Amino acid sequence: MTQRMLSFPISGMHCAGCEAAIETAVKELPGIDMVSADHVAKKVQVRFDESLTSPSAILACIESKGY
């Protein structure tokens, strides 16, 4: 198990509801250990297992929610 921490710049988040939508969606991906969205900083931090998911899969998940 190889843990990796990444931060993605995300535009379009305006409130805590946006943060919750992203966090809920990303948590459903396999291998996600932690996800924290911050609409003020306009970023999402994710810690995940590289053998179970990828940065591109995480970003695609966020984009599928409209961000």
Side-chain angles (χ1 to χ4, degrees):
M1 172 156 57
T2 304
Q3 290 283 314
R4 185 171 178 191
M5 178 76 110
L6 284 179
S7 181
F8 298 93
I10 304 296
S11 61
M13 289 190 292
H14 304 289
C15 63
C18 297
E19 295 171 351
I22 289 172
E23 290 173 359
T24 299
V26 173
K27 283 179 186 175
E28 293 178 7
L29 293 172
I32 300 297
D33 184 46
M34 183 279 301
V35 58
S36 176
D38 184 338
H39 75 279
V40 175
K42 299 186 185 318
K43 69 178 182 176
V44 175
Q45 287 191 306
V46 183
R47 186 171 55 235
F48 63 99
D49 183 340
E50 287 185 297
S51 67
L52 298 175
T53 196
S54 67
S56 60
I58 295 167
L59 192 55
C61 178
I62 293 169
E63 289 175 347
S64 77
K65 294 299 174 188
Y67 300 97

